[in-house]
Amino acid sequence: MSPKLSLSFAAVFALVLALTSAVLLGRSDAAGAVGIGGTCAGIAGLGCDAGLWCELEPGTCNRADAAGRCVHAPQSCGLSLRPVCACGGRTYSSDCQRQRAKAQKSHDGPCR
């Protein structure tokens, strides 16, 4: 076997080993996720467990370090008509409808 071929094999082997180690050590899985009611987002950028979403504090739309809590989105909503404004300027007919859409809340009342 030529020296060039064995050097290439060694380089490829080292690269595969390094990538495998990086994937196994740096993977982001459920171990780093937060459960129901836990603090999410914020400076740490923590995500929520599967089936939950991170609801930020109302009015923190433009804060990069805003923290929230992990909650379930409602599956259905009543007929309440109390409009709320979501971040991004969309008005929802109720806070429940906004939560169902997993939209962050800007303020109570319709968007201006």
Side-chain angles (χ1 to χ4, degrees), residues 87-108:
C87 298
R90 179 173 176 184
T91 298
Y92 287 87
S93 61
S94 69
D95 203 40
C96 182
Q97 291 292 344
R98 175 198 59 84
Q99 291 170 336
R100 191 167 180 235
K102 299 179 182 177
Q104 302 300 336
K105 183 176 181 179
S106 177
H107 58 82
D108 289 328

Side-chain angles (χ1 to χ4, degrees), residues 12-79:
V12 169
F13 180 77
L15 179 63
V16 168
L17 183 62
L19 289 174
T20 303
S21 297
V23 168
L24 292 176
L25 294 175
R27 67 183 177 173
S28 142
D29 56 11
V34 179
I36 187 93
T39 302
C40 51
I43 292 173
L46 297 174
C48 297
D49 284 341
L52 303 175
W53 69 287
C54 186
E55 183 171 24
L56 303 179
E57 292 296 318
T60 59
C61 299
N62 296 321
R63 285 190 38 209
D65 63 344
R69 61 187 175 87
C70 294
V71 297
H72 285 285
Q75 296 299 310
S76 62
C77 296
L79 297 176

